[in-house]
Amino acid sequence: MGMKETQVTVNVNGKLHSLTVEPRLLLVHMLREKLLLSGTHIGCDTSQCGACTVLLDGRAVKSCTVLAVQAHEKTVTTVEGLGTMEQLHPVQEGFWEKHGLQCGFCTPGVMMTAVGLLQQNPHPTEAEIRHGLEGVICRCTGYQNIVRAVQYAASHTETSAIDSEVAAPDIVRDVIEGR
Amino acid sequence: MIPSAFAYERASSIREAIELLRASGGEGKLIAGGHSLLPMMKLRLTSPDTLIDIAGVEGLRAVRVTGDRLTVGALLTHDQIMTNPLVREKLPILAETASQIGDLQVRNRGTIGGNLAHADPASDLPAVALALDANLQVVSVEGSETYAAEDFFLGPLITALPENSMLTGVSFAIPPAHTRGVYEKFAHPASGYAVVGVAAVIGVNQGQVNYIRVAITGAGDVPYRAHDVENTLLGRPLTPATISDAAKLAAEDGVMADDLFASAQYRAHLCSVYVKKALLRASRIE
């Protein structure tokens, strides 16, 4: 049977990458092992814990349950693409201010889920935040401070800042086609 | 975990997807969001030779209202369904159910077509499909066919989908304006899947129930309509007492599963409790 390698062109954190990959390569492995972006973690590897969450075209997804080839001509944002040491993303700032982490293993995935949640619902109620975070598992914090961190981010973010946070897929397509 | 190797093709049309399926000689699988298929492939519960990616097929993401039916394209994600204004207006029960599937990340990837074609016995949507007299639109080499939801789910992960075919859309009956539909589930605490899930639509006219659909998922190998509950309430006044009486019959039309999550006896009990809960909320008695 065939295992023909497949071309993937993907925008990761604003940078265009063209790779030839085996179709069975998972997005999380492409990010960590091919692009050396190890901020995205592998937790359960069974689409439950959410440690591997990244944004795909602006939507939070579990990258252990997406094939790299499914990200073709799409935009991926990982935790490395969120903010800088000088200018933290509001969600990162929220985790800092509200002590939203202890061991930190789940944190990249939780933050990416929170960014995706605020993108879809910029002013969530506490109940909506908890519902939105159902797909992430943290074994340290008991979630209370994570919820506070997301509330902090929601109140410190202009709606427009969230909207512009994730590069629009159309722009990427233009880049790819104009290559 | 890494799935076993497979060939990967991208289909740009329904016709091409079906041709690629045929060319795979029965060893190919369609993939859209992949949230039913990829977890199974990673566990090597299934190892297709070829994956045919239909995410790029145009025209399968529309929501349309025609007469008294609302049709959704197979490629719509659960998130797109729960936030769609037409769905929320015409079929709030469908939006409510979609919002309870998996979690935020899963709802962003999983599609309604993939969910129904996968036919997980603990999936939420099949109950709503039965309660809303859904018709599943299927295209194969032979042409287009429509399956009533009641004829579609044949067993755990088994559907009436013929070989080399593709589910392209689902049309749901929009119940009469005086009715109200709700979905109530007892979710497994770890997975969120329905141990028992109840979709109920009920309407009262001149003091008597004149429209009722009750459908149950999760309790057994296949979702089922609780006809005994429906027939007991039809033509009767809707009170906590009549609801309680009818709910006792919730397990009568199904075959309860008996597994490590719940015994058959416990599932039958849950069916009654959740039918009662759903009917009380739908009747605004609560």
Side-chain angles (χ1 to χ4, degrees):
Chain A
M1 56 155 285
M3 307 192 349
K4 196 174 53 133
E5 300 215 317
T6 301
Q7 184 79 13
V8 178
T9 303
V10 57
N11 180 319
V12 180
N13 301 332
K15 199 173 159 199
L16 208 57
H17 297 272
S18 223
L19 298 96
T20 306
V21 303
E22 231 192 305
R24 64 173 164 170
L25 182 74
L26 299 170
L27 179 59
V28 68
H29 292 138
M30 184 188 87
L31 294 171
R32 290 176 56 85
E33 290 158 25
K34 306 276 181 192
L35 304 181
L36 305 179
L37 294 169
S38 54
T40 302
H41 290 172
I42 299 174
C44 70
D45 204 4
T46 53
S47 41
Q48 295 171 66
C49 80
C52 65
T53 300
V54 300
L55 303 186
L56 185 65
D57 278 354
R59 294 293 170 127
V61 304
K62 293 172 177 172
S63 62
C64 78
T65 312
V66 178
L67 297 169
V69 291
Q70 290 180 293
H72 181 56
E73 294 188 352
K74 292 187 188 295
T75 302
V76 175
T77 309
T78 69
V79 70
E80 289 92 342
L82 264 197
T84 62
M85 290 305 282
E86 295 72 37
Q87 181 74 56
L88 292 178
H89 183 281
V91 166
Q92 291 172 313
E93 206 180 288
F95 273 71
W96 174 277
E97 290 295 333
K98 298 297 173 188
H99 198 61
L101 63 146
Q102 288 181 29
C103 89
F105 186 85
C106 71
T107 310
V110 179
M111 291 200 301
M112 297 317 289
T113 306
V115 174
L117 165 66
L118 293 176
Q119 168 99 349
Q120 285 169 248
N121 181 1
H123 305 290
T125 62
E126 183 185 335
E128 286 168 344
I129 292 173
R130 290 181 184 275
H131 184 61
L133 293 176
E134 272 180 354
V136 292
I137 294 176
C138 171
R139 298 285 77 160
C140 303
T141 63
Y143 303 100
Q144 306 300 339
N145 284 353
I146 293 180
V147 172
R148 290 183 191 121
V150 179
Q151 286 170 326
Y152 177 97
S155 61
H156 286 74
T157 312
E158 299 289 326
T159 309
S160 57
I162 296 175
D163 289 342
S164 64
E165 178 54 49
V166 182
D170 292 349
I171 298 171
V172 181
R173 294 233 165 74
D174 292 342
V175 173
I176 293 165
E177 279 155 21
R179 231 163 16 111
Chain B
M1 292 168 302
I2 296 166
S4 58
F6 54 85
Y8 176 78
E9 307 277 0
R10 292 187 183 110
S12 56
S13 67
I14 297 169
R15 178 166 296 276
E16 190 184 2
I18 289 163
E19 272 314 310
L20 286 165
L21 269 179
R22 190 153 68 161
S24 75
E27 300 299 323
K29 285 291 267 180
L30 300 179
I31 184 166
H35 270 49
S36 299
L37 185 57
L38 288 177
M40 288 185 73
M41 288 174 63
K42 288 173 69 181
L43 293 168
R44 310 249 173 157
L45 295 172
T46 183
S47 300
D49 277 359
T50 306
L51 280 195
I52 299 150
D53 193 339
I54 54 171
V57 175
E58 298 289 331
L60 299 180
R61 288 188 170 84
V63 176
R64 270 191 211 97
V65 174
T66 320
D68 61 352
R69 296 191 80 85
L70 179 142
T71 306
V72 299
L75 287 181
L76 283 168
T77 63
H78 306 309
D79 183 74
Q80 286 166 334
I81 289 189
M82 68 183 250
T83 54
N84 183 278
L86 262 184
V87 173
R88 295 177 74 89
E89 184 201 329
K90 302 286 184 189
L91 296 176
I93 182 179
L94 178 59
E96 181 192 357
T97 307
S99 76
Q100 292 187 39
I101 296 171
D103 51 52
L104 177 90
Q105 298 99 307
V106 169
R107 291 190 294 271
N108 278 337
R109 284 298 285 168
T111 64
I112 188 165
N115 180 297
L116 293 172
H118 182 61
D120 191 303
S123 171
D124 302 300
L125 286 174
V128 181
L130 286 177
L132 296 178
D133 301 326
N135 287 329
L136 292 97
Q137 299 163 351
V138 175
V139 175
S140 70
V141 188
E142 314 291 327
S144 301
E145 278 179 280
T146 297
Y147 293 83
E150 224 153 348
D151 304 325
F152 186 77
F153 303 105
L154 303 181
L157 312 184
I158 303 167
T159 68
L161 276 171
E163 217 182 356
N164 303 331
S165 68
M166 174 168 161
L167 179 62
T168 56
V170 190
S171 92
F172 299 93
I174 300 169
H178 73 290
T179 65
R180 187 167 183 227
V182 302
Y183 181 70
E184 287 281 355
K185 78 166 153 176
F186 180 78
H188 186 270
S191 70
Y193 273 103
V195 179
V196 162
V198 176
V201 183
I202 194 158
V204 176
N205 187 28
Q206 296 185 339
Q208 292 182 340
V209 174
N210 74 336
Y211 190 97
I212 179 166
R213 296 280 188 282
V214 178
I216 299 178
T217 186
D221 284 351
V222 284
Y224 66 94
R225 277 270 296 276
H227 291 291
D228 279 11
V229 174
E230 296 176 1
N231 294 335
T232 303
L233 276 173
L234 205 58
R236 296 216 167 82
L238 198 56
T239 68
T242 57
I243 287 175
S244 272
D245 279 352
K248 288 183 187 133
L249 305 171
E252 291 301 312
D253 290 278
V255 179
M256 298 296 112
D258 202 339
D259 58 27
L260 76 168
F261 297 132
S263 67
Q265 194 190 3
Y266 181 51
R267 273 199 165 84
H269 172 70
L270 284 177
C271 286
S272 294
V273 171
Y274 276 76
V275 164
K276 184 173 168 184
K277 211 172 156 163
L279 289 174
L280 285 174
R281 180 153 72 90
S283 329
R284 302 173 201 263
I285 295 175
E286 283 167 293

